Amino acid sequence: MAEFATPTRRMANASGHTHAAADRSPREASIAASLNARASVTAQRRIAAALVQRRAATPVVQCFFDHGDYTFSKNQRYAIDEDGGQSSGYAAQGEAAPHQSTADGTAELPNPAWQGAAEAGADAADAAPETITYDRYKPAIEVLEDCTHGMEEIMHGQQLNEGHDVSDLIHPETGARSLWGESDALNVQRGAATDQDAEASPAVGQGYVIVRQSGDGTKYHGAAVVAKDGPDDMTMETWRRVGADEDAPRVVPTYEMYGREGEQSFQHQWRETFGEDSTVSVAATRALPAGAAVGDEGDADDAV
């Protein structure tokens, strides 16, 4: 529809991810500083955790876990790391490749079971390998440095022009779809109507979308799910660094890891930025309109 291809929609898309320096909370300033240093979103969360006191009543549900320089999913089927600001993703040999990822050789990762065995005694340690061979992957796509637009590009598996309707939020009970990105006001309304809180569980090829429901600050964040291991999701995502009136560059997204409940959920990891009443929805692709894909014949402003 033509009205969705206007500059108004593009501004709504972009303004959701831009941090004005004067409006930043201390946590947002920390996140921005980490991004400027090309740290991953995982690193941002860890920096923020040192600045924000966790509420004592919050239950801790351990699913994914850190071991050495890596974060492993619960069953160790997938892992992520950070290397010079550009993360790598790992899949245990025989597991499916992460969505929109390119093979990048193999790597020997530390075996968490070996550490436990070593602590139990030398004989036990000898029974468990110290390392495990994983297939290593890197993102197969450069995305626009805008979190929900980048999420949409990863979900669709191709670069997209701004200003088109390319994803929906899914109602958790009825499966009804609500267009994402029509306006800020409708994004808030539809985010509330499709809220799944910490229980949101996008399939591979779908995404998380968190929406601020009140107060000032950053409006949205999105992350595309590229692999799943039980209660854990590996995502690829980015964050907009430039202002809404500036052209965002294309960047390599980073791999991240989320659980389903407690402090590991997508909701908990981001609610300090988006507010205690923020909502988390599942986003899914919709058919691409003419001119949406980069390289298509049509112009985004002429699409119908």
Side-chain angles (χ1 to χ4, degrees):
M1 298 176 64
E3 61 267 31
F4 299 153
T6 63
T8 299
R9 172 174 157 80
R10 287 196 289 271
M11 285 294 290
N13 225 10
S15 64
H17 321 296
T18 302
H19 290 257
D23 296 334
R24 287 174 183 157
S25 69
R27 181 178 188 276
E28 291 174 330
S30 173
I31 288 175
S34 296
L35 282 165
N36 288 336
R38 297 194 65 78
S40 71
V41 180
T42 296
Q44 298 162 27
R45 296 199 303 255
R46 291 170 180 165
I47 291 169
L51 303 176
V52 179
Q53 181 178 2
R54 299 296 191 188
R55 295 185 302 175
T58 301
V60 177
V61 180
Q62 288 298 329
C63 294
F64 70 80
F65 59 95
D66 294 333
H67 182 72
D69 295 327
Y70 301 89
T71 299
F72 292 86
S73 60
K74 181 178 182 179
N75 301 308
Q76 300 176 46
R77 294 172 58 195
Y78 295 97
I80 62 174
D81 76 346
E82 182 186 349
D83 180 14
Q86 295 296 328
S87 64
S88 295
Y90 301 87
Q93 293 194 312
E95 297 292 344
H99 181 61
Q100 288 304 305
S101 298
T102 300
D104 190 29
T106 61
E108 295 297 316
L109 272 58
N111 181 5
W114 181 87
Q115 182 67 37
E119 292 173 356
D123 291 342
D126 291 340
E130 187 172 356
T131 62
I132 301 176
T133 303
Y134 278 73
D135 294 322
R136 182 171 55 212
Y137 293 91
K138 59 185 179 182
I141 184 173
E142 287 191 349
V143 301
L144 201 68
E145 191 184 62
D146 183 287
C147 58
T148 56
H149 186 90
M151 173 196 73
E152 291 171 332
E153 292 185 315
I154 296 165
M155 287 162 49
H156 278 280
Q158 57 186 309
Q159 294 179 341
L160 303 172
N161 295 310
E162 292 186 275
H164 289 280
D165 308 321
V166 299
S167 65
D168 295 318
L169 303 185
I170 308 300
H171 193 283
E173 297 177 0
T174 67
R177 288 172 168 256
S178 301
L179 176 65
W180 169 256
E182 189 171 354
S183 70
D184 283 348
L186 287 174
N187 284 345
V188 171
Q189 176 184 322
R190 292 166 181 171
T194 58
D195 182 28
Q196 298 188 43
D197 297 316
E199 297 179 359
S201 181
V204 172
Q206 296 182 334
Y208 288 100
V209 174
I210 188 166
V211 179
R212 175 181 293 279
Q213 291 293 319
S214 63
D216 297 327
T218 307
K219 296 181 177 68
Y220 326 116
H221 182 57
V225 174
V226 297
K228 297 180 76 73
D229 179 10
D232 296 334
D233 296 335
M234 180 193 289
T235 67
M236 283 200 296
E237 55 196 274
T238 189
W239 189 278
R240 190 179 185 98
R241 298 174 177 86
V242 301
D245 58 346
E246 300 177 71
D247 292 334
R250 290 206 166 270
V251 297
V252 177
T254 58
Y255 292 101
E256 311 299 341
M257 192 83 72
Y258 300 97
R260 192 70 61 239
E261 298 178 0
E263 294 188 359
Q264 295 187 328
S265 71
F266 185 85
Q267 179 195 49
H268 185 91
Q269 296 287 354
W270 288 105
R271 70 181 180 185
E272 295 292 343
T273 295
F274 295 95
E276 292 294 323
D277 60 346
S278 56
T279 58
V280 177
S281 304
V282 172
T285 58
R286 59 186 291 145
L288 292 179
V294 170
D296 275 5
E297 286 292 331
D299 184 285
D301 294 330
D302 296 331
V304 295

